[in-house]
């Protein structure tokens, strides 16, 4: 699913956010990405979402070489990827249902299908009874579940999450991780960046540790 070979990213010469990184993540894997602040976790996720291009080396995802994707292919590529952020990034002026149908609308899915699919994923995260609520009426854990539903609406092959539990207390964090594990059990490859070692220990999955842009440990 993901093949990185001597992948580097720098923003100014000599200052590497990622340096000579090689890794391989298979289809259907669940992988944690950890390491201290500034290690390069978010940078790797941004490259995988193709928000930025690699500076050197290769990054191949699902057969797409992310260094050479054309603008048109970037759109097509991103359709296969779901992304979850630390701060949920829900649209405050839209209801729960609209937050999910919105992404499908952008992708050109017909309205009837948008609603059907949105109900399906919201039911799946256990929030079908809150479809008409607004994000401000929901707890942090509920907002993150909606963000996950939204990321799944398009049935992505790969789900990327950057500190998805960074704003949540330990119980809710574990709940969200369990939800991501269920997503993974459905066949989606999941990559989660977190500095929460305790959470990683509880979930117990493959863990790649970065420091100063390099892989320092794999467990
Ligand atoms: N747009 C940018 N311009 C310049 N430097 C950047 C940029 N984005 C990231 N960096 C640098 O790249 C390095 C890696 O940053 P990154 O955000 O990937 O770390 P991180 O592991 O996600 O850290 P955190 O745990 O704090 O989120 C840092 O030294 C950071 O300052
Ligand atoms: Mg980060």
């Amino acid at each position: 699913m993901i093949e990185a070979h001597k992948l580097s990213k720098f923003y100014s010469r000599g200052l590497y956010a990622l340096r000579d990184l090689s890794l391989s993540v298979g289809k259907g894997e669940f992988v944690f990405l950890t390491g201290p602040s500034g290690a390069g976790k978010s940078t790797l996720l941004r490259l995988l979402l193709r928000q930025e291009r690699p500076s050197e080396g290769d990054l191949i995802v699902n057969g797409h070489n992310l260094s050479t994707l054309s603008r048109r292919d970037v759109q097509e590529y991103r359709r296969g990827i779901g992304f979850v952020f630390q701060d949920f990034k829900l649209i405050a002026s839209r209801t729960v249902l609209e937050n999910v149908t919105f992404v499908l609308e952008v992708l050109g899915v017909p309205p009837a299908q948008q609603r059907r699919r949105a109900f399906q994923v919201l039911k799946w995260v256990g929030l079908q009874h809150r479809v008409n609520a607004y994000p401000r009426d929901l707890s942090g854990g509920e907002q993150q579940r909606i963000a996950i539903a939204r990321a799944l609406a398009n049935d992505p092959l790969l789900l990327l999450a950057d500190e998805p539990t960074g704003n949540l207390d330990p119980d809710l964090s574990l709940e969200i991780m369990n939800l991501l594990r269920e997503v993974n059990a459905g066949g989606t490859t999941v990559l989660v960046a977190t500095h929460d070692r305790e959470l990683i220990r509880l979930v117990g999955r493959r863990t790649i540790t970065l420091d100063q842009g390099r892989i320092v440990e794999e467990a």
Side-chain angles (χ1 to χ4, degrees):
M1 172 63 76
I2 301 173
E3 294 288 340
H5 184 65
K6 294 198 166 204
L7 176 68
S8 293
K9 177 70 186 177
F10 45 81
Y11 295 97
S12 53
R13 215 196 305 225
L15 284 175
Y16 285 87
L18 290 176
R19 185 154 202 172
D20 277 340
L21 193 105
S22 294
L23 66 84
S24 172
V25 174
K27 192 165 160 25
E29 270 198 89
F30 186 117
V31 180
F32 281 117
L33 209 55
T34 190
S37 184
K41 306 180 292 295
S42 298
T43 302
L44 181 56
L45 293 183
R46 282 199 303 274
L47 290 176
L48 287 168
L49 192 60
R50 188 42 187 79
Q51 284 181 333
E52 293 175 1
R53 280 175 192 269
S55 305
E56 291 166 349
D58 293 315
L59 184 57
I60 318 277
V61 184
N62 208 19
H64 297 276
N65 184 331
L66 300 197
S67 301
T68 55
L69 269 194
S70 70
R71 186 183 286 243
R72 182 201 221 141
D73 291 343
V74 167
Q75 272 185 341
E76 175 61 29
Y77 168 72
R78 286 207 189 118
R79 274 175 205 204
I81 298 188
F83 204 93
V84 177
F85 302 90
Q86 175 171 351
D87 56 357
F88 323 135
K89 294 211 192 309
L90 298 173
I91 304 169
S93 60
R94 292 180 191 251
T95 64
V96 165
L97 185 70
E98 290 163 353
N99 263 277
V100 180
T101 54
F102 178 67
V103 283
L104 296 168
E105 187 186 321
V106 169
L107 293 172
V109 174
Q113 249 172 282
Q114 288 171 25
R115 284 178 65 85
R116 199 175 331 125
R117 179 63 180 158
F119 273 111
Q120 200 175 30
V121 285
L122 285 166
K123 184 171 179 199
W124 197 75
V125 300
L127 284 170
Q128 72 275 27
H129 58 296
R130 302 305 304 271
V131 288
N132 294 319
Y134 285 86
R136 64 172 173 274
D137 303 327
L138 302 171
S139 71
E142 288 170 336
Q143 290 188 52
Q144 192 58 299
R145 276 149 69 194
I146 290 158
I148 291 170
R150 182 180 59 183
L152 294 176
N154 197 38
D155 203 13
L157 296 163
L158 174 63
L159 185 73
L160 306 172
D162 197 356
E163 303 280 0
T165 61
N167 290 353
L168 305 177
D169 67 38
D171 283 352
L172 281 178
S173 296
L174 193 57
E175 189 185 289
I176 290 297
M177 278 308 159
N178 285 334
L179 190 56
L180 292 176
R181 276 206 298 201
E182 278 179 48
V183 171
N184 177 244
T188 308
T189 308
V190 176
L191 191 58
V192 181
T194 180
H195 62 268
D196 191 337
R197 284 267 165 195
E198 177 59 15
L199 197 57
I200 291 174
R201 196 186 61 76
L202 284 171
V203 177
R205 292 299 179 99
R206 179 177 172 199
T207 303
I208 297 171
T209 307
L210 297 179
D211 194 6
Q212 296 183 10
R214 295 177 190 268
I215 295 178
V216 292
E217 196 187 339
E218 273 233 50

